[in-house]
Amino acid sequence: MKTYLDQLAIFGGTTAFEKKLHVGRPNIGDHTRLLDRIENAINRRWLTNNGPYVQEFEARLAEFTGAKHVIVMSNATIALEIVSRALGLSGEVIVPSFTFIATAHALQWQEITPVFCDIDPKTHNIDPSKVEASITPRTSGIVGVHVWGRPCDVDALQKIGQHHGLKIIYDAAHAFGCTHKGRMIGNSGDAEVFSFHATKFFNSFEGGAVATNDDELAQKIRLMKNFGFAGTDNVIYIGTNGKMHEITAAMGLTSLESVDTFLATNYRNYKLYQEGLSDLPGIQLLQYNEDEKNNYQYIVVEVDEVQTGISRDDLVKILWSENVLARRYFYPGCHQAEPYRSYYPHARLLLPETEKLTQRVLVLPNGTAVGAAEISMICQIMRLAVERGPEVVLKLQV
Ligand SMILES: Cc1ncc(COP(=O)(O)O)c(C=O)c1O
């Protein structure tokens, strides 16, 4: 197979990178600390059911976020399911379609209808001015998603929620370590949900957590994630199994010890991409507000095909041919995935901004697995693709 650079006679016959560069390659903290913790857990023979590492992880996360309660779970999807059930959501819930499918599935799984709302093209987050128009007598809540870790318009959503008596959950899967108006994410709405999946900059292999300042809600969520057990032989709610186990919590604790390094690496890389992609017509790197804390984990580029002369999808093809596994996000949008595509075939007409953005966005590799030289090369490939793309892109087979 001819690579892109090969066709431009820049490198003869090899890819720019020997090894594949992935988006979401896991960051891993101190191996020795992790293995010691795992050994301790095994020696203790307390492997799950609210073990000491889970308790310590929850306490550390509460300290880190400033939230009164942080309840860890097996993943963010189950956390979203549990929190929406604990809040009594039913009927319809307003969500963006520009999100990972789990945001919608967590509702639909409980036969709650996700009503897709369009986004603000500047922020990529749910557009509060369009939320009001989606409210019906069946609406019970709103799930805002802090896409790329950049917070939703929390104040506007809060006002709408209060005015219409709606519950508000934030899917903060991307937003661990970020702030909104100087306050750590984890303190807004009725609850916020983090993901610690391996692809997130801060991971516990799999994992998630609900953060809330509501005592009663926290208590209910704790029961629900453990089958509804309020004590031995005493089940007082319908519940499920959302428990995190000790090995996962050991990874979470170890990741937390390195979180500053992960953040610093992401920030350094973001600045390198900013420099490398500046002045590239039609290529717009998503900017983070540096007055806030950001985790900088997503390097997001919007491709304007009219200006670049090359489509986002062809750019992705070129990058893949060089072993840069850039990803389209959140392509094609939840409303275009089953079962929603069949349930609401006309949804796309109500989501023009979502439709446009899913055709423009690509995400580049970041994290501790990517270095300065690699970023410089990725930016050079993109520059070449924009300058010379149409010459060879049609011949490229990947
Ligand atoms: C926005 C969003 N919500 C929810 C999830 C689900 O998280 P988990 O994989 O921990 O269930 C993800 C995971 O990628 C996500 O990006």
Side-chain angles (χ1 to χ4, degrees), residues 4 27 54-55 67 83 126 144 165 174 199 212 229 231 239 241 254 262 266 286 298 309 350 364 378 387:
Y4 180 71
N27 291 324
V54 160
Q55 292 176 39
V83 74
I126 194 165
H174 292 190
T199 52
T212 180
F229 274 109
N241 184 355
T254 310
F262 301 155
N266 285 350
L286 181 110
Y298 293 98
L350 300 170
L364 295 167
I378 293 170
E387 284 165 7

Side-chain angles (χ1 to χ4, degrees), residues 247-263:
I247 307 296
T248 295
M251 180 64 167
L253 283 166
T254 310
S255 293
L256 205 50
E257 286 162 356
S258 293
V259 75
D260 290 340
T261 312
F262 301 155
L263 289 167

Side-chain angles (χ1 to χ4, degrees), residues 341-356:
R341 186 171 52 192
S342 298
Y343 289 171
Y344 320 109
H346 304 301
R348 50 193 297 270
L349 300 174
L350 300 170
L351 303 167
E353 300 301 344
T354 305
E355 285 275 311
K356 274 186 247 165

